[in-house]
Amino acid sequence: MDKPDILFEQYYEDVFRFLRGLSADEHLAEELTQETFYRALKSADSYRGEADMRIWLCSIAKNLYYTQYKKQKRLATEEDIEEYQAEDKNFLDIIADRETALQIHRILHELQEPYKEVFSLRIFGELPFKDIGTLFGKSQHWACVTYHRAKERIREEMEAERRGNHEDGM
């Protein structure tokens, strides 16, 4: 294999353009290009010379890109988290009503874990998702999704109770 400096100079632009085309993100392409060369140098002994160096480097780059893409799909975007926080404020306004709060506590008591605890930590403990995730040894995204699911279950139960009471009153 060529010297690292020569390798980098000779193939950097090709790998960068390849990744920029895949990702449509210049910053990500630059990061992944650097990581590609780092990985290539780490595994230089596995390069057997059967394929063109450019193809070998681009296959490393492609694998890095797909790994990054899969990670990103699993992470909540900042916009998602901000949207959930805006929904929290609306939900807290509903809880302010004492009768509604009692109904929520009754439904919450029936929820399974971790939904019950995550919801309680978020609403009553006023903890951010990041702290909740840390408490459970999970990610901020996990805490956000778990809270959102708990909230949806509570809303569904409240709606079912409301429909049941409405039908009983007719």
Side-chain angles (χ1 to χ4, degrees), residues 94-111:
I94 294 169
I95 294 176
D97 173 36
R98 187 178 177 101
E99 187 177 316
T100 304
L102 182 60
Q103 182 185 21
I104 289 171
H105 279 291
R106 195 173 55 252
I107 294 167
L108 184 60
H109 181 72
E110 300 297 320
L111 273 183

Side-chain angles (χ1 to χ4, degrees), residues 114 117-118 121-122 127-146:
E117 188 172 358
V118 169
L121 289 169
R122 178 69 181 168
L127 289 179
F129 292 122
K130 183 177 182 184
D131 292 347
I132 295 169
T134 300
L135 284 172
F136 282 87
K138 306 277 185 177
S139 69
Q140 174 180 342
H141 173 69
W142 175 88
C144 186
V145 169
T146 303

Side-chain angles (χ1 to χ4, degrees), residues 39-54:
R39 298 266 178 104
L41 291 173
K42 252 177 76 172
S43 60
D45 57 331
S46 70
Y47 178 68
R48 296 183 300 266
E50 295 169 358
D52 180 77
M53 177 65 71
R54 187 176 293 110

Side-chain angles (χ1 to χ4, degrees), residues 142-167:
W142 175 88
C144 186
V145 169
T146 303
Y147 165 77
H148 184 68
R149 289 177 181 163
K151 186 171 66 171
E152 286 305 306
R153 288 181 183 175
I154 291 170
R155 281 189 179 158
E156 289 168 4
E157 285 296 317
M158 289 176 72
E159 182 63 27
E161 286 181 17
R162 189 188 63 74
R163 281 193 312 265
N165 289 341
H166 184 68
E167 289 170 5

Side-chain angles (χ1 to χ4, degrees), residues 1-12 37-38 40-42 44 47 53 56-57:
M1 183 180 268
D2 297 334
K3 288 184 176 181
D5 294 343
I6 296 170
L7 180 73
F8 188 81
E9 288 174 18
Q10 192 171 2
Y11 297 105
Y12 178 86
F37 282 95
Y38 171 74
L41 291 173
K42 252 177 76 172
Y47 178 68
M53 177 65 71
W56 183 67
L57 290 168

Side-chain angles (χ1 to χ4, degrees), residues 14-117:
D14 293 329
V15 174
F16 174 75
R17 280 195 305 259
F18 174 74
L19 284 165
R20 190 177 55 200
L22 275 178
S23 68
D25 180 337
E26 194 154 333
H27 180 71
L28 178 61
E30 190 171 325
E31 284 182 34
L32 292 176
T33 299
Q34 292 172 9
E35 181 67 19
T36 297
F37 282 95
Y38 171 74
R39 298 266 178 104
L41 291 173
K42 252 177 76 172
S43 60
D45 57 331
S46 70
Y47 178 68
R48 296 183 300 266
E50 295 169 358
D52 180 77
M53 177 65 71
R54 187 176 293 110
I55 293 170
W56 183 67
L57 290 168
C58 286
S59 70
I60 293 170
K62 179 183 70 172
N63 290 334
L64 284 170
Y65 171 74
Y66 286 127
T67 299
Q68 178 72 21
Y69 180 77
K70 287 176 190 173
K71 280 185 201 172
Q72 289 301 100
K73 277 183 69 175
R74 283 184 252 137
L75 297 175
T77 65
E78 288 299 317
E79 291 172 356
D80 293 337
I81 292 170
E82 287 173 13
E83 183 179 314
Y84 289 144
Q85 289 171 342
E87 287 178 13
D88 288 351
K89 185 174 179 345
N90 295 337
F91 201 68
L92 288 172
D93 292 341
I94 294 169
I95 294 176
D97 173 36
R98 187 178 177 101
E99 187 177 316
T100 304
L102 182 60
Q103 182 185 21
I104 289 171
H105 279 291
R106 195 173 55 252
I107 294 167
L108 184 60
H109 181 72
E110 300 297 320
L111 273 183
Q112 294 179 351
E113 293 297 347
Y115 302 106
K116 182 191 304 188
E117 188 172 358

